[in-house]
Amino acid sequence: MGRLMGQRVAHVVFATPPGDVVLEGADGRPALNICSSFNPNSCGLDRYSTEDVFFLEVCLFNEICTNAHDLFAQPEGGYFRCELDVNGLERVREALVNANGPR
C-alpha cells in the first residue's frame, strides 16, 4: 500500500491509547461532535474536532486490521502496525459506497 506524504514508517504512534476512546456520549449515541479539543473554526454539523477524528480512526483500524485486538492494548506512545484484513476493507468500502446519508 502507498504511504502518506512525509510518512517514513509503517506503524502508527498513538498519543492517546486507542483503548481510551470514548464510545458513547451522554445520550447513548456514538461520542461524536463533543468538541472539547482543538478546532480553530469551532464545531458544528459540518466540522470535526480531533476527538471525532480519533474515534473514527480507531473504528476504521478495528474494522480493517486482522490484529485489531492489539490496537486496544496499545499504551500512550505505543507503536501499532495494522495487518490488513482485505475482507474488512471491502466491508468498509461497501458500507461507505452504499450509505444512505446526505449527499
Side-chain angles (χ1 to χ4, degrees), residues 21-22 31-39 43 48-57:
V21 69
V22 176
L32 294 172
N33 206 17
I34 295 171
C35 200
S36 64
S37 63
F38 179 73
N39 187 328
C43 293
Y48 299 96
S49 68
T50 53
E51 298 102 336
D52 294 340
V53 174
F54 178 60
F55 179 94
L56 295 170
E57 284 175 333

Side-chain angles (χ1 to χ4, degrees), residues 85-96:
D85 177 351
V86 176
N87 293 323
L89 183 61
E90 179 60 21
R91 285 190 303 272
V92 169
R93 188 195 74 76
E94 282 290 320
L96 293 172

